[in-house]
Amino acid sequence: MVPVLIKELLAKNPQGERVTVCGWVRTMRDSKNLVFVQVNDGSCFANIQLTFDRNSPSQNASVDEIESELKKINTGASIRAEGILVPSPASGQAVEVSLEKITVIGTCNPEEYPLQKNKMSMEYLRENAHLRARTNTFGAVFRMRSQMAFAVHNFFQERGFVYLNAPEITCSDCEGAGEMFQVTSLSLEKIAELGVKAGAGGMKIEDAHKIVDYSKDFFGKKASLTVSGQLEAETFATALSRVYTFGPTFRAENSNTPRHLAEFWMIEPEMAFFDLNDDMDLQEDFVKYLLNWALEKCAEDLAFFEKRIHLGLISQLDSVAKSKFVRITYTDAISELQKSGAKFEFKPEWGGDIATEHERFLTEQIFKCPVMVYNYPREIKSFYMKQNDDGKTVKAVDVLVPGIGELNGGSEREESYEKLIAEIRRRGMDEKIYDWYLDLRRFGTVPHSGFGMGFERLIRYVTGMENIRDVIPYPRAPKLADF
């Protein structure tokens, strides 16, 4: 008999139906004549209780066989159980399973099982990432992650977007940061030998890379793992009108903080014929859609996060989902921060980044709601953003929410060939690398816009988890790639 997921069993009306349950044992309690086994299969937060009454076993139960299997059970063991779904007299559960048969599929030695401890730190669970999904916390996190991924696709599919798989290997740098993981088939040992020889010959260490012949590399040029699928998405937006990418991206930034990962997932839509206001409208709708989805579809897991992880989480998400987002220029945002009189670690000044402490102050103290800050200084934003007429700012926007600060951000893209190539040259970028990108401005150029949202940042926000490493199955960070 095919097992029924526990979340489905718990929703059933108990009418003496014979069912099969498979899962992992959370606890077993033996009280003389009664045995209670709590089983979870990961389909929901709740367990289902299996009961065995030694005094009045089911007519179909083989008492000796059940007793033999019960002796093998410890926390973490996997079992297959068959029995009758009956009303439960216990509080907090509507149904339970009266055992007729139980088979231990995989035993679990309590002396060796890493999750046997009563209290386990997040760091400890990170070291046991291959098992942590069995805990209440991480089961809830990854169910939430699954639901939010489905919500992302739902949102864009409902609005006529085409899903695009952007390449993970690229020869261009979207952000211009240079912090990229290099991809090569060349022998690193031979390159090191050449570097040593070059150094002995008087070449400076920082110039040693010039001796590498990338024409002999796999792609015939220097290649890296992508930091963004945006540029490729723009090419498709200028053919299919509205597209979105949703996939892994990589950044070789040596940041060992609760907010940074080396491998993370990005959601990046691109829309032809959208200006900045259209872009901001879509971003606001997107954030509200995702939060409402979490509130409606993930109520049980959210209740757990509210109780154990972040008190006030549900009201915070509900408030943002119902709010009208305030829109304010970067210049006015800096002015508001300066005249607030608040003491910040980083002084807010025009021309500098708006730090997380500033973002949270704007949303939590000044406006007490989500804030969209737009028209940022040209010098602190990417080369592809459309320039405003003032020559100092670009049509960029960041969406700030209470509790975390920036959640997503985007811009109207520069559609003028002349302005874009001038900006590439001004920044000293290699324009040959961007020939294909510039072609979009030469052949049927159109106004277009887009934005990006880090998926893990979203999951961190809707779960209340403090460390971004705890919302991705296997975190990749400096000195952390064990699985």
Side-chain angles (χ1 to χ4, degrees):
M1 185 183 294
V2 175
V4 182
L5 290 174
I6 288 173
K7 70 175 181 179
E8 296 174 6
L9 285 177
L10 295 175
K12 281 181 174 286
N13 184 20
Q15 297 178 333
E17 176 185 356
R18 183 168 281 104
V19 296
T20 299
V21 178
C22 290
W24 294 266
V25 173
R26 288 292 176 86
T27 63
M28 185 176 80
R29 181 164 57 91
D30 193 331
S31 180
K32 292 186 178 180
N33 297 321
L34 290 173
V35 180
F36 304 96
V37 183
Q38 295 284 336
V39 179
N40 188 279
D41 66 359
S43 63
C44 64
F45 178 81
N47 307 321
I48 195 163
Q49 181 168 273
L50 313 179
T51 61
F52 175 58
D53 188 341
R54 293 188 174 100
N55 284 340
S56 56
S58 168
Q59 294 180 357
N60 297 315
S62 173
V63 176
D64 290 341
E65 288 181 4
I66 290 178
E67 291 282 14
S68 176
E69 292 299 298
L70 289 175
K71 291 176 182 178
K72 303 176 187 177
I73 290 178
N74 291 106
T75 297
S78 59
I79 61 96
R80 182 184 184 95
E82 298 174 18
I84 306 299
L85 191 66
V86 298
S88 176
S91 61
Q93 56 191 34
V95 299
E96 59 185 39
V97 176
S98 178
L99 270 181
E100 292 185 334
K101 182 179 180 180
I102 187 168
T103 303
V104 176
I105 299 172
T107 58
C108 191
N109 187 336
E111 300 300 320
E112 300 175 354
Y113 186 42
L115 304 187
Q116 192 65 28
K117 298 180 179 181
N118 290 328
K119 291 185 178 181
M120 297 172 286
S121 69
M122 292 297 177
E123 183 64 35
Y124 176 81
L125 290 171
R126 222 170 286 138
E127 293 169 359
N128 291 276
H130 58 302
L131 296 171
R132 65 178 180 170
R134 297 188 189 184
T135 65
N136 286 335
T137 298
F138 288 97
V141 166
F142 295 117
R143 281 190 298 272
M144 178 73 81
R145 185 181 172 103
S146 174
Q147 276 291 328
M148 299 316 294
F150 188 74
V152 168
H153 286 293
N154 236 45
F155 176 85
F156 290 117
Q157 292 296 322
E158 287 175 1
R159 289 157 179 78
F161 281 71
V162 175
Y163 178 41
L164 172 67
N165 301 117
E168 294 177 30
I169 299 175
T170 181
C171 294
S172 61
D173 179 1
C174 175
E175 301 299 330
E179 297 167 333
M180 303 174 76
F181 289 103
Q182 191 170 339
V183 176
T184 182
S185 62
L186 296 175
S187 168
L188 299 181
E189 289 79 9
K190 290 183 179 179
I191 292 173
E193 289 177 12
L194 290 172
V196 171
K197 292 178 180 178
M203 179 180 283
K204 293 181 180 179
I205 295 298
E206 58 266 28
D207 293 329
H209 70 279
K210 295 178 180 178
I211 63 177
V212 179
D213 185 359
Y214 285 108
S215 67
K216 296 180 180 179
D217 205 349
F218 187 89
F219 295 105
K221 60 180 74 174
K222 188 175 181 179
S224 303
L225 293 178
T226 186
V227 299
S228 170
Q230 177 202 312
L231 302 190
E232 291 82 3
E234 284 188 56
T235 69
F236 276 78
T238 56
L240 304 178
S241 289
R242 300 178 192 178
V243 302
Y244 69 104
T245 71
F246 183 12
T249 52
F250 310 85
R251 190 182 294 276
E253 182 178 356
N254 191 19
S255 295
N256 202 355
T257 78
R259 297 181 291 108
H260 290 89
L261 287 169
E263 178 184 0
F264 51 97
W265 283 58
M266 284 294 294
I267 306 157
E268 297 179 288
E270 288 292 325
M271 299 79 65
F273 310 104
F274 270 49
D275 63 18
L276 183 61
N277 286 322
D278 300 325
D279 193 13
M280 288 195 285
D281 289 343
L282 187 71
Q283 290 191 61
E284 182 171 345
D285 289 346
F286 185 50
V287 171
K288 290 179 177 180
Y289 185 95
L290 295 176
L291 300 191
N292 278 317
W293 187 284
L295 291 163
E296 293 170 12
K297 308 287 187 181
C298 310
E300 185 181 40
D301 289 326
L302 274 179
F304 170 79
F305 293 127
E306 170 85 21
K307 182 178 180 181
R308 297 294 184 87
I309 304 297
H310 182 182
L311 184 63
L313 174 66
I314 294 175
S315 61
Q316 177 175 275
L317 299 181
D318 185 62
S319 175
V320 172
K322 292 177 179 176
S323 294
K324 176 65 179 174
F325 291 16
V326 167
R327 300 184 183 187
I328 184 173
T329 66
Y330 167 91
T331 300
D332 288 342
I334 293 295
S335 177
E336 289 288 340
L337 291 166
Q338 290 174 337
K339 70 183 184 183
S340 71
K343 292 183 179 180
F344 297 107
E345 181 180 356
F346 300 100
K347 186 178 179 181
E349 293 183 322
W350 202 99
D353 279 323
I354 296 181
T356 300
E357 60 176 333
H358 305 148
E359 295 169 347
R360 295 192 60 175
F361 193 85
L362 286 167
T363 58
E364 297 169 23
Q365 302 298 323
I366 296 178
F367 295 105
K368 302 185 187 302
C369 69
V371 177
M372 305 181 87
V373 179
Y374 65 97
N375 285 354
Y376 276 79
R378 175 185 179 186
E379 298 301 330
I380 64 172
K381 288 296 183 180
S382 297
F383 75 96
Y384 52 75
M385 296 183 175
K386 186 175 179 64
Q387 299 174 31
N388 284 309
D389 293 338
D390 60 15
K392 298 188 301 181
T393 62
V394 291
K395 294 187 176 183
V397 60
D398 286 337
V399 179
L400 318 178
V401 292
I404 198 171
E406 183 188 348
L407 185 60
N408 49 286
S411 74
E412 187 172 341
R413 316 311 192 189
E414 182 57 73
E415 80 272 16
S416 165
Y417 175 85
E418 290 75 17
K419 289 183 179 180
L420 185 59
I421 196 168
E423 186 65 13
I424 288 173
R425 290 169 176 169
R426 188 181 75 86
R427 294 180 182 231
M429 300 166 65
D430 185 353
E431 62 188 79
K432 292 181 181 179
I433 293 176
Y434 298 95
D435 277 347
W436 59 274
Y437 186 65
L438 288 162
D439 275 352
L440 302 181
R441 279 74 179 171
R442 296 176 60 220
F443 308 124
T445 187
V446 296
H448 60 289
S449 302
F451 66 87
M453 175 187 282
F455 189 50
E456 284 72 30
R457 185 173 295 189
L458 168 68
I459 304 305
R460 184 173 168 233
Y461 190 58
V462 296
T463 61
M465 298 292 285
E466 290 187 5
N467 197 315
I468 201 167
R469 299 180 186 186
D470 296 326
V471 296
I472 191 169
Y474 293 100
R476 297 291 181 255
K479 307 297 187 294
L480 181 62
D482 298 330
F483 297 93

PDB file of all heavy atoms in Angstrom, residues 437-460:
ATOM      1  N   TYR A 437      25.968  43.102 -25.922  1.00  0.00           N
ATOM      2  CA  TYR A 437      25.040  43.858 -25.090  1.00  0.00           C
ATOM      3  C   TYR A 437      24.720  45.204 -25.743  1.00  0.00           C
ATOM      4  O   TYR A 437      23.567  45.661 -25.735  1.00  0.00           O
ATOM      5  CB  TYR A 437      25.655  44.038 -23.707  1.00  0.00           C
ATOM      6  CG  TYR A 437      24.756  44.683 -22.679  1.00  0.00           C
ATOM      7  CD1 TYR A 437      23.597  44.049 -22.237  1.00  0.00           C
ATOM      8  CD2 TYR A 437      25.081  45.926 -22.132  1.00  0.00           C
ATOM      9  CE1 TYR A 437      22.787  44.642 -21.276  1.00  0.00           C
ATOM     10  CE2 TYR A 437      24.282  46.516 -21.171  1.00  0.00           C
ATOM     11  CZ  TYR A 437      23.137  45.864 -20.738  1.00  0.00           C
ATOM     12  OH  TYR A 437      22.332  46.451 -19.790  1.00  0.00           O
ATOM     13  N   LEU A 438      25.729  45.813 -26.331  1.00  0.00           N
ATOM     14  CA  LEU A 438      25.534  47.087 -27.022  1.00  0.00           C
ATOM     15  C   LEU A 438      24.668  46.934 -28.272  1.00  0.00           C
ATOM     16  O   LEU A 438      23.973  47.862 -28.681  1.00  0.00           O
ATOM     17  CB  LEU A 438      26.887  47.688 -27.387  1.00  0.00           C
ATOM     18  CG  LEU A 438      27.691  48.253 -26.206  1.00  0.00           C
ATOM     19  CD1 LEU A 438      29.158  48.417 -26.572  1.00  0.00           C
ATOM     20  CD2 LEU A 438      27.095  49.577 -25.738  1.00  0.00           C
ATOM     21  N   ASP A 439      24.701  45.735 -28.868  1.00  0.00           N
ATOM     22  CA  ASP A 439      23.867  45.493 -30.043  1.00  0.00           C
ATOM     23  C   ASP A 439      22.382  45.701 -29.753  1.00  0.00           C
ATOM     24  O   ASP A 439      21.610  46.086 -30.647  1.00  0.00           O
ATOM     25  CB  ASP A 439      24.071  44.058 -30.563  1.00  0.00           C
ATOM     26  CG  ASP A 439      25.265  43.953 -31.507  1.00  0.00           C
ATOM     27  OD1 ASP A 439      25.829  45.008 -31.860  1.00  0.00           O
ATOM     28  OD2 ASP A 439      25.613  42.823 -31.884  1.00  0.00           O
ATOM     29  N   LEU A 440      21.980  45.451 -28.517  1.00  0.00           N
ATOM     30  CA  LEU A 440      20.568  45.659 -28.156  1.00  0.00           C
ATOM     31  C   LEU A 440      20.181  47.115 -28.338  1.00  0.00           C
ATOM     32  O   LEU A 440      19.008  47.427 -28.583  1.00  0.00           O
ATOM     33  CB  LEU A 440      20.323  45.253 -26.701  1.00  0.00           C
ATOM     34  CG  LEU A 440      20.668  43.816 -26.306  1.00  0.00           C
ATOM     35  CD1 LEU A 440      20.338  43.595 -24.835  1.00  0.00           C
ATOM     36  CD2 LEU A 440      19.934  42.819 -27.180  1.00  0.00           C
ATOM     37  N   ARG A 441      21.150  48.014 -28.192  1.00  0.00           N
ATOM     38  CA  ARG A 441      20.898  49.453 -28.348  1.00  0.00           C
ATOM     39  C   ARG A 441      21.063  49.898 -29.800  1.00  0.00           C
ATOM     40  O   ARG A 441      20.686  51.011 -30.157  1.00  0.00           O
ATOM     41  CB  ARG A 441      21.859  50.246 -27.467  1.00  0.00           C
ATOM     42  CG  ARG A 441      21.423  50.332 -25.997  1.00  0.00           C
ATOM     43  CD  ARG A 441      21.618  49.030 -25.252  1.00  0.00           C
ATOM     44  NE  ARG A 441      21.218  49.137 -23.848  1.00  0.00           N
ATOM     45  CZ  ARG A 441      21.131  48.117 -23.019  1.00  0.00           C
ATOM     46  NH1 ARG A 441      21.412  46.906 -23.434  1.00  0.00           N
ATOM     47  NH2 ARG A 441      20.758  48.293 -21.758  1.00  0.00           N
ATOM     48  N   ARG A 442      21.619  49.035 -30.649  1.00  0.00           N
ATOM     49  CA  ARG A 442      21.811  49.368 -32.067  1.00  0.00           C
ATOM     50  C   ARG A 442      20.673  48.856 -32.937  1.00  0.00           C
ATOM     51  O   ARG A 442      20.369  49.431 -33.967  1.00  0.00           O
ATOM     52  CB  ARG A 442      23.136  48.767 -32.562  1.00  0.00           C
ATOM     53  CG  ARG A 442      24.385  49.348 -31.888  1.00  0.00           C
ATOM     54  CD  ARG A 442      25.640  48.640 -32.352  1.00  0.00           C
ATOM     55  NE  ARG A 442      25.808  48.779 -33.806  1.00  0.00           N
ATOM     56  CZ  ARG A 442      26.228  47.819 -34.610  1.00  0.00           C
ATOM     57  NH1 ARG A 442      26.508  46.632 -34.122  1.00  0.00           N
ATOM     58  NH2 ARG A 442      26.354  48.035 -35.898  1.00  0.00           N
ATOM     59  N   PHE A 443      20.057  47.762 -32.506  1.00  0.00           N
ATOM     60  CA  PHE A 443      19.054  47.118 -33.354  1.00  0.00           C
ATOM     61  C   PHE A 443      17.704  47.073 -32.632  1.00  0.00           C
ATOM     62  O   PHE A 443      17.425  46.160 -31.863  1.00  0.00           O
ATOM     63  CB  PHE A 443      19.501  45.698 -33.726  1.00  0.00           C
ATOM     64  CG  PHE A 443      20.891  45.636 -34.314  1.00  0.00           C
ATOM     65  CD1 PHE A 443      21.860  44.822 -33.752  1.00  0.00           C
ATOM     66  CD2 PHE A 443      21.226  46.397 -35.425  1.00  0.00           C
ATOM     67  CE1 PHE A 443      23.130  44.766 -34.290  1.00  0.00           C
ATOM     68  CE2 PHE A 443      22.500  46.340 -35.973  1.00  0.00           C
ATOM     69  CZ  PHE A 443      23.461  45.531 -35.409  1.00  0.00           C
ATOM     70  N   GLY A 444      16.887  48.069 -32.874  1.00  0.00           N
ATOM     71  CA  GLY A 444      15.533  48.088 -32.307  1.00  0.00           C
ATOM     72  C   GLY A 444      15.514  48.331 -30.815  1.00  0.00           C
ATOM     73  O   GLY A 444      14.773  47.670 -30.080  1.00  0.00           O
ATOM     74  N   THR A 445      16.298  49.288 -30.342  1.00  0.00           N
ATOM     75  CA  THR A 445      16.349  49.564 -28.912  1.00  0.00           C
ATOM     76  C   THR A 445      14.998  50.041 -28.383  1.00  0.00           C
ATOM     77  O   THR A 445      14.207  50.661 -29.121  1.00  0.00           O
ATOM     78  CB  THR A 445      17.430  50.614 -28.595  1.00  0.00           C
ATOM     79  OG1 THR A 445      17.567  50.740 -27.163  1.00  0.00           O
ATOM     80  CG2 THR A 445      17.076  51.986 -29.171  1.00  0.00           C
ATOM     81  N   VAL A 446      14.735  49.736 -27.121  1.00  0.00           N
ATOM     82  CA  VAL A 446      13.487  50.165 -26.479  1.00  0.00           C
ATOM     83  C   VAL A 446      13.773  50.520 -25.022  1.00  0.00           C
ATOM     84  O   VAL A 446      14.722  50.001 -24.431  1.00  0.00           O
ATOM     85  CB  VAL A 446      12.410  49.059 -26.508  1.00  0.00           C
ATOM     86  CG1 VAL A 446      12.000  48.720 -27.933  1.00  0.00           C
ATOM     87  CG2 VAL A 446      12.887  47.801 -25.772  1.00  0.00           C
ATOM     88  N   PRO A 447      12.954  51.385 -24.442  1.00  0.00           N
ATOM     89  CA  PRO A 447      13.050  51.580 -22.994  1.00  0.00           C
ATOM     90  C   PRO A 447      12.750  50.240 -22.308  1.00  0.00           C
ATOM     91  O   PRO A 447      11.854  49.521 -22.731  1.00  0.00           O
ATOM     92  CB  PRO A 447      11.958  52.607 -22.691  1.00  0.00           C
ATOM     93  CG  PRO A 447      11.642  53.242 -23.997  1.00  0.00           C
ATOM     94  CD  PRO A 447      11.882  52.198 -25.044  1.00  0.00           C
ATOM     95  N   HIS A 448      13.516  49.902 -21.289  1.00  0.00           N
ATOM     96  CA  HIS A 448      13.234  48.666 -20.562  1.00  0.00           C
ATOM     97  C   HIS A 448      13.784  48.761 -19.146  1.00  0.00           C
ATOM     98  O   HIS A 448      14.678  49.570 -18.866  1.00  0.00           O
ATOM     99  CB  HIS A 448      13.787  47.444 -21.295  1.00  0.00           C
ATOM    100  CG  HIS A 448      15.272  47.452 -21.507  1.00  0.00           C
ATOM    101  ND1 HIS A 448      15.907  48.301 -22.383  1.00  0.00           N
ATOM    102  CD2 HIS A 448      16.251  46.695 -20.959  1.00  0.00           C
ATOM    103  CE1 HIS A 448      17.204  48.063 -22.386  1.00  0.00           C
ATOM    104  NE2 HIS A 448      17.442  47.106 -21.511  1.00  0.00           N
ATOM    105  N   SER A 449      13.230  47.957 -18.279  1.00  0.00           N
ATOM    106  CA  SER A 449      13.570  48.011 -16.861  1.00  0.00           C
ATOM    107  C   SER A 449      13.596  46.605 -16.283  1.00  0.00           C
ATOM    108  O   SER A 449      13.107  45.652 -16.896  1.00  0.00           O
ATOM    109  CB  SER A 449      12.546  48.856 -16.091  1.00  0.00           C
ATOM    110  OG  SER A 449      12.466  50.170 -16.596  1.00  0.00           O
ATOM    111  N   GLY A 450      14.142  46.495 -15.094  1.00  0.00           N
ATOM    112  CA  GLY A 450      14.165  45.211 -14.408  1.00  0.00           C
ATOM    113  C   GLY A 450      14.584  45.380 -12.963  1.00  0.00           C
ATOM    114  O   GLY A 450      14.878  46.483 -12.506  1.00  0.00           O
ATOM    115  N   PHE A 451      14.581  44.276 -12.244  1.00  0.00           N
ATOM    116  CA  PHE A 451      15.035  44.321 -10.852  1.00  0.00           C
ATOM    117  C   PHE A 451      15.536  42.950 -10.441  1.00  0.00           C
ATOM    118  O   PHE A 451      15.393  41.955 -11.169  1.00  0.00           O
ATOM    119  CB  PHE A 451      13.926  44.805  -9.915  1.00  0.00           C
ATOM    120  CG  PHE A 451      12.725  43.900  -9.790  1.00  0.00           C
ATOM    121  CD1 PHE A 451      12.689  42.867  -8.855  1.00  0.00           C
ATOM    122  CD2 PHE A 451      11.605  44.098 -10.591  1.00  0.00           C
ATOM    123  CE1 PHE A 451      11.576  42.051  -8.731  1.00  0.00           C
ATOM    124  CE2 PHE A 451      10.483  43.290 -10.466  1.00  0.00           C
ATOM    125  CZ  PHE A 451      10.470  42.254  -9.533  1.00  0.00           C
ATOM    126  N   GLY A 452      16.151  42.899  -9.294  1.00  0.00           N
ATOM    127  CA  GLY A 452      16.660  41.637  -8.764  1.00  0.00           C
ATOM    128  C   GLY A 452      16.293  41.487  -7.302  1.00  0.00           C
ATOM    129  O   GLY A 452      16.264  42.459  -6.547  1.00  0.00           O
ATOM    130  N   MET A 453      15.986  40.258  -6.930  1.00  0.00           N
ATOM    131  CA  MET A 453      15.736  39.932  -5.527  1.00  0.00           C
ATOM    132  C   MET A 453      16.525  38.673  -5.178  1.00  0.00           C
ATOM    133  O   MET A 453      16.408  37.646  -5.844  1.00  0.00           O
ATOM    134  CB  MET A 453      14.245  39.681  -5.257  1.00  0.00           C
ATOM    135  CG  MET A 453      13.959  39.207  -3.824  1.00  0.00           C
ATOM    136  SD  MET A 453      12.233  38.707  -3.552  1.00  0.00           S
ATOM    137  CE  MET A 453      11.452  40.326  -3.398  1.00  0.00           C
ATOM    138  N   GLY A 454      17.343  38.763  -4.153  1.00  0.00           N
ATOM    139  CA  GLY A 454      18.040  37.580  -3.658  1.00  0.00           C
ATOM    140  C   GLY A 454      17.043  36.661  -2.977  1.00  0.00           C
ATOM    141  O   GLY A 454      16.376  37.068  -2.020  1.00  0.00           O
ATOM    142  N   PHE A 455      16.929  35.431  -3.476  1.00  0.00           N
ATOM    143  CA  PHE A 455      15.918  34.519  -2.957  1.00  0.00           C
ATOM    144  C   PHE A 455      16.163  34.200  -1.484  1.00  0.00           C
ATOM    145  O   PHE A 455      15.229  34.144  -0.684  1.00  0.00           O
ATOM    146  CB  PHE A 455      15.908  33.237  -3.795  1.00  0.00           C
ATOM    147  CG  PHE A 455      14.774  32.307  -3.484  1.00  0.00           C
ATOM    148  CD1 PHE A 455      13.466  32.762  -3.440  1.00  0.00           C
ATOM    149  CD2 PHE A 455      15.013  30.963  -3.237  1.00  0.00           C
ATOM    150  CE1 PHE A 455      12.409  31.902  -3.163  1.00  0.00           C
ATOM    151  CE2 PHE A 455      13.975  30.093  -2.976  1.00  0.00           C
ATOM    152  CZ  PHE A 455      12.666  30.559  -2.933  1.00  0.00           C
ATOM    153  N   GLU A 456      17.425  34.004  -1.117  1.00  0.00           N
ATOM    154  CA  GLU A 456      17.721  33.708   0.291  1.00  0.00           C
ATOM    155  C   GLU A 456      17.394  34.893   1.197  1.00  0.00           C
ATOM    156  O   GLU A 456      16.993  34.710   2.349  1.00  0.00           O
ATOM    157  CB  GLU A 456      19.195  33.311   0.452  1.00  0.00           C
ATOM    158  CG  GLU A 456      19.518  31.907  -0.009  1.00  0.00           C
ATOM    159  CD  GLU A 456      19.499  31.753  -1.524  1.00  0.00           C
ATOM    160  OE1 GLU A 456      19.803  32.748  -2.224  1.00  0.00           O
ATOM    161  OE2 GLU A 456      19.188  30.654  -2.004  1.00  0.00           O
ATOM    162  N   ARG A 457      17.546  36.106   0.677  1.00  0.00           N
ATOM    163  CA  ARG A 457      17.173  37.275   1.473  1.00  0.00           C
ATOM    164  C   ARG A 457      15.666  37.267   1.732  1.00  0.00           C
ATOM    165  O   ARG A 457      15.212  37.593   2.843  1.00  0.00           O
ATOM    166  CB  ARG A 457      17.581  38.556   0.740  1.00  0.00           C
ATOM    167  CG  ARG A 457      17.347  39.820   1.554  1.00  0.00           C
ATOM    168  CD  ARG A 457      17.921  41.046   0.872  1.00  0.00           C
ATOM    169  NE  ARG A 457      19.375  40.990   0.781  1.00  0.00           N
ATOM    170  CZ  ARG A 457      20.135  42.001   0.381  1.00  0.00           C
ATOM    171  NH1 ARG A 457      19.579  43.134   0.018  1.00  0.00           N
ATOM    172  NH2 ARG A 457      21.440  41.873   0.319  1.00  0.00           N
ATOM    173  N   LEU A 458      14.901  36.890   0.720  1.00  0.00           N
ATOM    174  CA  LEU A 458      13.450  36.772   0.894  1.00  0.00           C
ATOM    175  C   LEU A 458      13.120  35.710   1.930  1.00  0.00           C
ATOM    176  O   LEU A 458      12.289  35.945   2.828  1.00  0.00           O
ATOM    177  CB  LEU A 458      12.794  36.413  -0.444  1.00  0.00           C
ATOM    178  CG  LEU A 458      11.327  35.973  -0.370  1.00  0.00           C
ATOM    179  CD1 LEU A 458      10.433  37.148   0.033  1.00  0.00           C
ATOM    180  CD2 LEU A 458      10.868  35.368  -1.689  1.00  0.00           C
ATOM    181  N   ILE A 459      13.755  34.541   1.836  1.00  0.00           N
ATOM    182  CA  ILE A 459      13.451  33.453   2.775  1.00  0.00           C
ATOM    183  C   ILE A 459      13.846  33.843   4.193  1.00  0.00           C
ATOM    184  O   ILE A 459      13.140  33.547   5.157  1.00  0.00           O
ATOM    185  CB  ILE A 459      14.163  32.147   2.353  1.00  0.00           C
ATOM    186  CG1 ILE A 459      13.795  31.777   0.923  1.00  0.00           C
ATOM    187  CG2 ILE A 459      13.799  31.014   3.309  1.00  0.00           C
ATOM    188  CD1 ILE A 459      12.305  31.653   0.666  1.00  0.00           C
ATOM    189  N   ARG A 460      14.962  34.523   4.304  1.00  0.00           N
ATOM    190  CA  ARG A 460      15.371  35.009   5.628  1.00  0.00           C
ATOM    191  C   ARG A 460      14.316  35.949   6.196  1.00  0.00           C
ATOM    192  O   ARG A 460      14.007  35.912   7.395  1.00  0.00           O
ATOM    193  CB  ARG A 460      16.728  35.715   5.497  1.00  0.00           C
ATOM    194  CG  ARG A 460      17.317  36.174   6.812  1.00  0.00           C
ATOM    195  CD  ARG A 460      18.730  36.693   6.623  1.00  0.00           C
ATOM    196  NE  ARG A 460      19.180  37.390   7.826  1.00  0.00           N
ATOM    197  CZ  ARG A 460      19.674  38.616   7.844  1.00  0.00           C
ATOM    198  NH1 ARG A 460      19.807  39.294   6.707  1.00  0.00           N
ATOM    199  NH2 ARG A 460      20.053  39.176   8.967  1.00  0.00           N
TER     200      ARG A 460
END
